[in-house]
Amino acid sequence: VLRGRICAPHSEPSGEVRASVAVGPLTRRIVAYGERRWIKSNGRVSASTPTPFVSVPATLAHAFGGRDGGES
């Protein structure tokens, strides 16, 4: 279980921040995105541009996508 926050470098707001955590030989990498909205236009649905953030909780409530390999 990981607890913490993902912070933008130099506290400068960013819509996307890459982060990683390593414990011994195990490394996990993630990309954190700012809040997005689903937009429907011309019969298509897409995600909005991420809202810039300085810090976001590293929780499943803020997760989207990825793969479920059973090892995470």
Side-chain angles (χ1 to χ4, degrees), residues 6-7 14-21 28-34 36 50 53 56-59 62-66:
I6 300 163
C7 302
S14 178
E16 174 182 325
V17 175
R18 297 180 184 278
S20 65
V21 62
R28 292 290 186 244
R29 294 175 183 84
I30 62 170
V31 180
Y33 295 95
R36 291 181 165 189
F53 67 93
V56 66
T59 65
H62 291 90
F64 178 81

Side-chain angles (χ1 to χ4, degrees), residues 12-72:
E12 294 179 16
S14 178
E16 174 182 325
V17 175
R18 297 180 184 278
S20 65
V21 62
V23 178
L26 181 67
T27 299
R28 292 290 186 244
R29 294 175 183 84
I30 62 170
V31 180
Y33 295 95
E35 186 176 320
R36 291 181 165 189
R37 302 267 186 237
W38 291 106
I39 300 169
K40 185 175 181 180
S41 177
N42 297 324
R44 299 182 74 172
V45 177
S46 61
S48 68
T49 301
T51 303
F53 67 93
V54 173
S55 175
V56 66
T59 65
L60 289 177
H62 291 90
F64 178 81
R67 63 181 179 165
D68 185 6
E71 299 175 13
S72 302

